[in-house]
Amino acid sequence: MNGEHRMSASTWGLLLLLGLIWGGSFFFARIAVHDVPPFTLVFLRLSLAAVALHLYLAGRLNIYQSLRRHWPQFLLLGLINNAIPHTLIFCGQTQMGAGLASILNATTPMWTVLIGNQLTTDERLTSAKLAGCLTGLLGTIVLLGPSVTSGGSVPFWALLLPILAAISYGFAAIYAKRFKGIAPPVVAAGQLTGSSLIILPVALMIDQPWALATPPVTAIAAILGLALLSTAFAYILYFRIIELAGATNTSLVTLLVPPSALLLGFLFLGERMGPTEIAGMLLIAAGLLVLDGRFFVWMKRGVRTRET
């Protein structure tokens, strides 16, 4: 790891903040889905975040030229990185807590590795990556097990939805490589704009939001937190951390999101995790550590330091 990408204390603080904010997205969603149907909730999250990012950019970074030139690509990225996965997660969260949904969605890096191995030539599956994927997938099986045997409190179909969302995120991560040369905040605003346009007619046809009751203040606050804090501001913070610490270091946030969601669910929603959920979370976390690889690099450095 070179000097310019070394993690300072302030950068670690930003990373922890991002983990808390993204963990908060599962917390906010769990509150909002009780009063707002999933498709409408997805539209509100994406459209409000898109407006916020457009205001933040204020025409800078050639955003409008990029939107005109690359609108088909932004529509596809918005579909697989926003519209589909958010809808799947919100539908799943009608049946499960914030913590469990975040744990299942934390399998995203593993699916990304497996998909990249099939669709690209520069993302080959090494033995370490395979070990990490298998460990994480074992954790996923542990989480799904009770529902398969009809012994779980969450329906099997609901547990599958965050996993399918993680697979969609994996395809999006591979597809997003096509946007090199475009400023990352522009890519974020472009995909949110595209996904808002995609989900709007779906929400109108299925949810008929004009016929819904006005949601309570708690749900409105959760929607605003979901859109403005956990989406718009989170993207700005994410790109800032990449600028300071590099993409590889920033990917460590994947390990921080489930604990944040679990903590928020425990403190404010009364959620509890049983032995099965804890075991599955630990296996997925172990898989992510193996997949990342730096844990073993740090161990080797520690051994070398002791030997000298």
Side-chain angles (χ1 to χ4, degrees), residues 79-148:
L79 177 68
I80 61 177
N81 201 39
N82 297 140
I84 289 175
H86 291 349
T87 301
L88 292 170
I89 292 170
F90 291 168
C91 289
Q93 283 199 261
T94 62
Q95 303 292 322
M96 76 181 79
L100 181 55
S102 69
I103 293 169
L104 291 168
N105 195 241
T107 58
T108 295
M110 301 162 199
W111 299 113
T112 304
V113 167
L114 295 174
I115 293 166
N117 181 66
Q118 294 297 317
L119 300 183
T120 68
T121 57
D122 58 344
E123 295 280 352
R124 288 306 177 194
L125 195 62
T126 64
S127 56
K129 288 181 178 180
L130 179 60
C133 288
L134 292 176
T135 304
L137 292 176
L138 177 61
T140 306
I141 293 170
V142 169
L143 290 172
L144 294 177
S147 291
V148 174

Side-chain angles (χ1 to χ4, degrees), residues 256-280:
L256 304 175
V257 172
S260 300
L262 285 167
L263 180 62
L264 291 169
F266 173 78
L267 291 176
F268 300 105
L269 301 176
E271 295 179 4
R272 299 291 186 273
M273 300 294 288
T276 300
E277 288 84 0
I278 293 172

Side-chain angles (χ1 to χ4, degrees), residues 36-53:
V36 181
F39 290 105
T40 299
L41 183 58
V42 171
F43 171 72
L44 291 172
R45 175 183 187 174
L46 298 177
S47 59
L48 290 173
V51 169
L53 281 179

Side-chain angles (χ1 to χ4, degrees), residues 1 5 20 33 40 43 51 62 79 131 159 163 178 183 191 203 255 273 296-297 299:
M1 200 183 307
H5 283 168
L20 180 63
V33 292
T40 299
F43 171 72
V51 169
N62 296 319
L79 177 68
L159 290 172
I163 298 173
R178 297 168 178 256
Q191 66 172 332
L255 293 167
M273 300 294 288
F296 300 103
V297 173
M299 286 184 61

